[in-house]
Amino acid sequence: MRESNGVHGSTRMADGLALAVLVGSLLLVALYGRVEFQRDQQLRQAHMAEDVTQVLDLLSQRLLAYELSARGGASLFASLERPSAQQWRSYVDGLQVGQGAGAGTLGYAPYLVPESLRELQLEQRAEGKGLFAIEPRGVRAAYGPVLYLEPRTPEHRITLGYDMLSEPVRRAAMERARDEGESRLTGPLRLRRAQDDTPEGALLFTPVYYGGIRPDTVEGRRIALQGWTYVPVRARTFIPQSLAHWPRTLAIRISDVTDDAPRDLYVDSDYAGLVAKGHQAMSATQEVYGRQWHVDFVSLRPGLGLWRMGSATVLVGILAALLLSATVWSLARTRLHAERLAMRMSDSYRRSESRFRSAMAHSPIGKALLDDEDRIVDANPALATIVGRPLESLIGQDMALLFADGRDAVEVEDEEAGAHAREGVYRASRVLRRDDGSRRRVRLFSAPVPGEASEEVVRLLQIDDVTDWYRAEERVRALNRTLEIRVAHRTRQLERANHELEAFSYSVSHDLRAPLRAIDGFSRILADRHGAALDDTGRDYLGRIRAATRRMDALIDALLQMARLSRAELSRQSLDLGAIAEQVVVELQQTETGRDVEVAIGEGLEAHGDPALVANLLQNLIGNAWKFSGGRARARIEIGRARRQDGGEAFFVRDNGVGFSQAYASKLFRPFQRLHRQDEYPGHGIGLASVRRIVERHGGEVWAEAQEGEGACFWFTLPEGEDTSAG
């Protein structure tokens, strides 16, 4: 009876222990399944994050291609003050707009004030294009009409003449591009050809400055602004084209959240349905040319439940739990269990070996298993391809015989280092000799194979063919050497051209002065000897001829002076601009003793520059102020220094003379550009061009501010440089 109770107690204990093990195992299986589910969710989240990053990168690359197209159009204005419509069309055709990743449309809008608008309309009428009408009509302080838009289509023709500065969204982007000197994007808006108010895209504006040079200051950029090139970004075509080669796994919605009221720019047709079904979602905000785009993503793949995610894992866990409980319940390891365990281990070993064989067979890198004498025990097809021999012939081959130098696969010059390499990981670059006589550059990776000392395989050798990479690197070096030779050749050509230009300047000066002297001499002889035979009109004509020859001679001197300014070597020194200005004023007062001009020169006008060039600069600026204030009863000239809005300082020369229209400020510094008649204010039109050349040689900038009838102010900077006066 007691024995029966003991048996039943042991059975109950075994049953209870087996049940406890079963319950514990099932709990562990459930916990493991949940962990697997969370891990898979994290993995899906990581994959979705990679897709999101790829989509954002593709959109950024497409926008960058649009910007490059706009900057390509802006570069045309660096060589032409304002290209014609035919030149713009030819240039845009050369950029292949609408092909590849670039923009499909490229336009240009000049920056115009009422005076320059009238000039443009007169030019258009003179060229036979009729009146250039502005839409919407009305008088405004500034205009930004569409002047060029290519390719020329019926939709684009109706856009020509539209004043984009009249529309707030476009104007905001255009003003930011102008002040910042960078490409800027508008908010969502209705393009001109749309029939409703639904936003269908945006416009990317790139500023164009006179001469193609971007000034360093906001004030300078506003003065130098010539117009804008722009590219329409149509969302319905921009998004699909950007993602054309991307395997679509996400639906997207793009919203512009820069302003207080966000607006959708693009929404996939299936986006709302996927969100309603609870698909995995993610969001990102990105700065795009001055705008904030909020992009919502939703996965096209449906989410998986806990049971679907971990069903296989849970089933395997339950079986393992049942097996473990049965093992505990039986309280003994039988031979059958051992055999089953041995069979499972054998299957696992065979699967591992099968995976290893499959990896070797499909690897693009050559692999070989070596014995302790560096003979090939096994190899993969990639190695046979690299060596150029059948795979069967490699088995048993001494690896050292495949290399051009005949060394062992892991042999190095240092014997001790070679022994260390045989015991551990070894990398090297070698030359492999093929059966056809050709040689290939390869990189080796050798690693020991763990196992018993008596086993046949002791080392794994990987061989990667890098011959093409080395050849490409050599071609790059050769191209670099060729480029250096070309640069040196072009430098010599430039130096030779400069010498020829200098000789040409003096030759032209001599050749031009010779006939001038002849004209002046014969005119003087004609007046002296035959003046009595001429009437008053004839003698007046002779006087005009001699005056014209003297003006031509002075103009030649001015041109030579400008040429010398470009070639003269700078000798920077510490200068007192106040003392130089006083000397210039004294000389002007001596030439015109009858004028009463109030001159105010500020204190502490220290600067660094070439004494002769800076003196020439002040002579031209103060001389201009003296000349154009001649009609004032109380003429005043002020020379000083003031702080700019960006924190820097600039020198100025201000007068209360006749002034000029600010719309023509950019033309003042060009040779022979005059805003007044010769009989009113004589001159050659070279002085301000010389001023600009001197300032630019010192690394500074110069600009003008004026109003008609209220005087003018010329600003310039002289950045500090190395003092070259010592020694």
Side-chain angles (χ1 to χ4, degrees), residues 76 94 117 122 229 280 303 347 351 355 373 417 448 469 479 488 570:
L76 181 59
L117 175 59
L122 291 176
T229 59
Q280 188 176 11
D347 291 340
R351 286 194 297 270
R355 287 193 293 268
E373 295 183 357
W469 182 83
L479 287 175
L570 284 180

Side-chain angles (χ1 to χ4, degrees), residues 162 167-173 176 184-192 194 196-205 232-236 253-267 288-294:
Y162 175 66
E167 197 273 319
V169 177
R170 290 175 172 86
R171 182 176 63 249
R176 288 200 310 272
R184 286 295 174 259
L185 196 67
T186 67
L189 48 75
R190 177 180 64 87
L191 300 181
R192 289 282 294 163
D196 54 21
D197 292 330
T198 303
E200 68 166 358
L203 297 177
L204 181 65
F205 288 96
V233 182
R234 296 183 176 87
R236 294 181 181 178
R253 179 181 66 184
I254 301 177
S255 306
D256 190 306
V257 297
T258 309
D259 305 319
D260 295 335
R263 301 186 68 187
D264 287 345
L265 185 65
Y266 175 83
V267 182
V288 182
Y289 294 97
R291 306 293 299 181
Q292 292 290 329
W293 281 9
H294 182 79

Side-chain angles (χ1 to χ4, degrees), residues 23-64:
V23 172
S25 300
L26 292 176
L27 290 176
L28 290 176
V29 169
L31 179 61
Y32 178 77
R34 182 175 183 82
V35 170
E36 282 295 302
F37 169 76
Q38 294 175 349
R39 185 188 66 81
D40 189 79
Q41 286 292 89
Q42 293 173 356
L43 184 61
R44 287 166 58 83
Q45 191 77 8
H47 287 327
M48 186 174 181
E50 292 178 358
D51 291 340
V52 167
T53 301
Q54 186 177 4
V55 170
L56 294 177
D57 288 343
L58 291 173
L59 295 178
S60 299
Q61 291 172 11
R62 187 75 177 185
L63 280 174
L64 178 59

Side-chain angles (χ1 to χ4, degrees), residues 181-228:
E182 300 292 342
S183 298
R184 286 295 174 259
L185 196 67
T186 67
L189 48 75
R190 177 180 64 87
L191 300 181
R192 289 282 294 163
R193 65 177 183 176
Q195 299 301 321
D196 54 21
D197 292 330
T198 303
E200 68 166 358
L203 297 177
L204 181 65
F205 288 96
T206 299
V208 178
Y209 301 103
Y210 283 104
I213 299 176
R214 173 183 177 270
D216 296 332
T217 64
V218 174
E219 186 177 11
R221 289 193 283 272
R222 291 181 178 179
I223 295 173
L225 180 68
Q226 185 174 356
W228 300 265

Side-chain angles (χ1 to χ4, degrees), residues 67-76 91 95 106:
E67 181 191 6
L68 293 177
S69 297
R71 290 192 179 277
S75 65
L76 181 59
Y91 193 82
L95 291 176
L106 185 60

Side-chain angles (χ1 to χ4, degrees), residues 151-469:
R152 189 66 60 89
T153 62
E155 293 86 357
H156 293 167
R157 292 181 187 275
I158 65 174
T159 305
L160 295 178
Y162 175 66
D163 181 11
M164 293 190 287
L165 283 177
S166 65
E167 197 273 319
V169 177
R170 290 175 172 86
R171 182 176 63 249
M174 294 167 77
E175 291 177 348
R176 288 200 310 272
R178 173 200 65 192
D179 293 344
E180 298 172 12
E182 300 292 342
S183 298
R184 286 295 174 259
L185 196 67
T186 67
L189 48 75
R190 177 180 64 87
L191 300 181
R192 289 282 294 163
R193 65 177 183 176
Q195 299 301 321
D196 54 21
D197 292 330
T198 303
E200 68 166 358
L203 297 177
L204 181 65
F205 288 96
T206 299
V208 178
Y209 301 103
Y210 283 104
I213 299 176
R214 173 183 177 270
D216 296 332
T217 64
V218 174
E219 186 177 11
R221 289 193 283 272
R222 291 181 178 179
I223 295 173
L225 180 68
Q226 185 174 356
W228 300 265
T229 59
Y230 73 97
V231 176
V233 182
R234 296 183 176 87
R236 294 181 181 178
T237 57
F238 170 77
I239 304 300
Q241 289 175 358
S242 301
L243 308 180
H245 302 291
W246 171 67
R248 186 170 182 263
T249 59
L250 303 171
I252 65 175
R253 179 181 66 184
I254 301 177
S255 306
D256 190 306
V257 297
T258 309
D259 305 319
D260 295 335
R263 301 186 68 187
D264 287 345
L265 185 65
Y266 175 83
V267 182
D268 275 329
S269 58
D270 54 351
Y271 176 85
L274 295 174
V275 172
K277 293 179 181 179
H279 285 218
Q280 188 176 11
M282 185 176 293
S283 300
T285 301
Q286 188 167 0
E287 196 275 335
V288 182
Y289 294 97
R291 306 293 299 181
Q292 292 290 329
W293 281 9
H294 182 79
V295 187
D296 295 310
F297 301 84
V298 60
S299 177
L300 300 179
R301 304 186 184 94
L304 296 180
L306 177 61
W307 168 249
R308 293 182 61 188
M309 287 295 301
S311 58
T313 302
V314 171
L315 288 176
V316 173
I318 292 175
L319 292 177
L322 292 174
L323 180 62
L324 180 60
S325 64
T327 302
V328 174
W329 178 76
S330 65
L331 299 177
R333 297 178 177 270
T334 62
R335 181 177 180 180
L336 179 60
H337 292 157
E339 290 178 353
R340 290 177 178 176
L341 181 60
M343 290 177 61
R344 290 171 185 167
M345 292 179 63
S346 298
D347 291 340
S348 177
Y349 174 77
R350 284 193 295 270
R351 286 194 297 270
S352 298
E353 184 177 9
S354 175
R355 287 193 293 268
F356 175 73
R357 296 290 181 185
S358 177
M360 281 193 61
H362 298 91
S363 173
I365 300 176
K367 295 184 179 182
L369 297 175
L370 306 181
D371 60 14
D372 56 354
E373 295 183 357
D374 279 350
R375 295 185 179 276
I376 300 176
V377 177
D378 196 4
N380 66 342
L383 180 62
T385 302
I386 294 173
V387 176
R389 294 174 55 179
L391 180 61
E392 296 77 10
S393 65
L394 293 178
I395 307 303
Q397 175 71 47
D398 187 354
M399 197 68 198
L401 299 179
L402 299 178
F403 299 110
D405 50 13
R407 292 187 295 164
D408 292 345
V410 295
E411 182 181 353
V412 294
E413 295 180 358
D414 187 354
E415 181 178 354
E416 182 178 352
H420 178 72
R422 288 180 176 275
E423 296 175 359
V425 176
Y426 172 70
R427 294 179 177 86
S429 177
R430 302 285 292 279
V431 177
L432 186 144
R433 181 179 60 243
R434 305 181 64 172
D435 285 353
D436 58 3
S438 62
R439 301 192 176 207
R440 307 291 291 180
R441 172 73 68 172
V442 297
R443 292 193 64 83
L444 305 182
F445 174 83
S446 176
V449 176
E452 299 295 334
S454 59
E455 291 183 356
E456 183 180 13
V457 177
V458 298
R459 181 165 294 276
L460 171 65
L461 184 66
Q462 295 187 138
I463 299 179
D464 190 8
D465 189 346
V466 294
T467 305
D468 294 337
W469 182 83

